């Protein structure tokens, strides 16, 4: 067993020349940082095929879920009695993060195109007409066939839901118009503030020369007064000297 160094402190197990452990809250740099600084590292290629495959799988899963919800809404028992037909899934690698498939935003097709408000308005009018027809049919069923009105009620409820869904599409256009109005109001306010600032600067520029001229005139008057007082004092002193003689 070797003895500790002579210059070591008694309470310090290590000497001054020994290495000390440095603790940092940040993780150390990766081992390949030197290659990155030299420009030898290249990013991996984008998995375009895997992204496209994942997009198709996500679209198929969404379509299957919507079809199942529609079947349950219409109370379709044929699929249950005949068995569920599962489509063959596409095999291959996909890109996933925490188990969720990553879709390519350039390949995703929106379910509803709501760029044109006129198309939405026509769809709402059409659904409104269907809702009125379904309501008349429901009244007739309640009068003549009270026990056989479930199908008409379901159809009426579904059309009302679709009409509400279509009217909600106006929210995007409404939000866009509100945003445009807010930005235009802010622009007008900033332009008015800028005009007030420019008017104030022009007023200051017009006042400054006049103030400087007044200051110069005042300084000249004070100088003349001082000279006049000095002249009077000199005359008074001269008169005193003459009187003393």
């Amino acid at each position: 067993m070797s003895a500790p160094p002579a210059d070591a402190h008694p309470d310090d197990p290590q000497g001054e020349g020994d290495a000390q452990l440095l603790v940092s809250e940040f993780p150390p740099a990766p081992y390949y940082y030197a290659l990155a600084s030299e420009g030898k590292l290249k990013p991996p290629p984008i998995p375009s095929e895997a992204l496209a495959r994942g997009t198709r799988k996500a679209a198929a899963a969404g379509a299957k879920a919507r079809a199942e919800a529609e079947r349950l809404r219409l109370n379709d028992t044929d699929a249950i009695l005949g068995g569920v037909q599962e489509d063959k899934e596409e095999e291959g690698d996909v890109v996933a993060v925490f188990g969720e498939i990553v879709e390519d935003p350039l390949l995703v097709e929106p379910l509803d195109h709501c760029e044109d408000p006129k198309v939405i308005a026509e769809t709402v009018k059409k659904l409104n007409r269907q809702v009125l027809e379904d309501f008349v049919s429901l009244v007739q069923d309640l009068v003549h066939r009270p026990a056989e009105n479930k199908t008409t009620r379901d159809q009426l409820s579904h059309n009302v839901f679709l009409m509400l869904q279509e009217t909600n599409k106006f929210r995007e256009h409404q939000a866009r118009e509100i945003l445009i109005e807010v930005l235009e109001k802010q622009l007008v306010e900033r332009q008015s503030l800028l005009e007030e600032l420019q008017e104030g600067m022009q007023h200051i520029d017009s006042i400054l020369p006049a103030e400087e001229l007044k200051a110069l005139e005042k300084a000249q008057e004070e100088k003349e007064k001082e000279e006049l007082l000095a002249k009077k004092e000199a005359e008074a002193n001269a008169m005193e000297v003459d009187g003393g003689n």
Side-chain angles (χ1 to χ4, degrees):
M1 184 174 182
S2 60
D7 56 350
H9 297 284
D11 296 336
D12 191 2
Q14 294 182 350
E16 294 181 357
D18 296 338
Q20 296 181 359
L21 179 62
L22 299 178
V23 180
S24 175
E25 59 180 347
F26 301 102
Y31 65 91
Y32 49 82
Y33 74 94
L35 298 177
S37 62
E38 296 175 0
K40 296 181 180 180
L41 283 181
K42 294 182 179 180
I46 299 175
S48 302
E49 296 182 0
L51 285 173
R53 189 180 299 110
T55 303
R56 290 193 294 270
K57 282 190 174 183
K64 185 178 180 181
R66 290 191 297 273
E68 180 68 16
E70 186 69 13
R71 183 188 64 79
L72 293 175
R73 185 187 66 82
L74 297 176
N75 197 15
D76 187 5
T77 57
D78 294 338
I80 299 177
L81 297 176
V84 179
Q85 297 180 358
E86 296 184 356
D87 298 332
K88 185 178 180 180
E89 294 185 357
E90 184 178 359
E91 297 180 356
D93 297 332
V94 297
V95 180
V97 177
F98 298 110
E100 296 291 335
I101 296 178
V102 178
E103 303 180 41
D104 189 352
L106 299 178
L107 300 178
V108 175
E109 296 183 359
L111 297 177
D112 297 314
H113 299 276
C114 54
E115 289 87 4
D116 191 359
K118 295 181 180 179
V119 177
I120 303 175
E122 292 296 330
T123 306
V124 171
K125 291 179 181 178
K126 180 180 178 181
L127 289 172
N128 189 20
R129 185 166 54 251
Q130 292 179 357
V131 167
L132 293 176
E133 293 176 356
D134 293 338
F135 181 76
V136 173
S137 300
L138 179 60
V139 172
Q140 292 179 355
D141 291 342
L142 291 174
V143 173
H144 301 288
R145 297 178 296 276
E148 300 177 1
N149 58 8
K150 186 178 184 306
T151 304
T152 308
R153 283 191 290 109
D154 293 342
Q155 186 65 29
L156 176 61
S157 176
H158 181 61
N159 287 332
V160 171
F161 171 75
L162 291 179
M163 187 170 63
L164 179 62
Q165 191 175 16
E166 288 294 325
T167 52
N168 284 336
K169 292 180 182 178
F170 280 111
R171 294 184 181 275
E172 298 182 8
H173 305 283
Q174 182 182 6
R176 189 183 299 115
E177 294 298 328
I178 292 175
L179 179 61
I180 291 173
E181 182 180 359
V182 170
L183 292 177
E184 288 179 349
K185 185 181 295 184
Q186 292 180 357
L187 181 61
V188 171
E189 291 177 356
R190 292 180 180 179
Q191 288 178 349
S192 62
L193 291 176
L194 182 60
E195 291 177 357
E196 291 179 1
L197 180 61
Q198 290 178 352
E199 291 177 358
M201 292 178 65
Q202 292 176 358
H203 181 63
I204 292 173
D205 293 338
S206 62
I207 290 176
L208 282 177
E211 293 293 334
E212 292 178 355
L213 182 59
K214 289 181 180 179
L216 291 175
E217 292 177 353
K218 187 176 182 181
Q220 185 67 24
E221 291 177 357
E222 291 179 354
K223 186 177 181 180
E224 291 177 355
K225 288 181 180 180
E226 291 178 356
E227 292 178 352
L228 183 59
L229 289 174
K231 186 177 180 181
K232 288 181 178 180
E233 290 179 357
E235 292 178 353
N237 293 331
M239 290 177 64
E240 290 178 358
V241 171
D242 294 339
N245 293 332

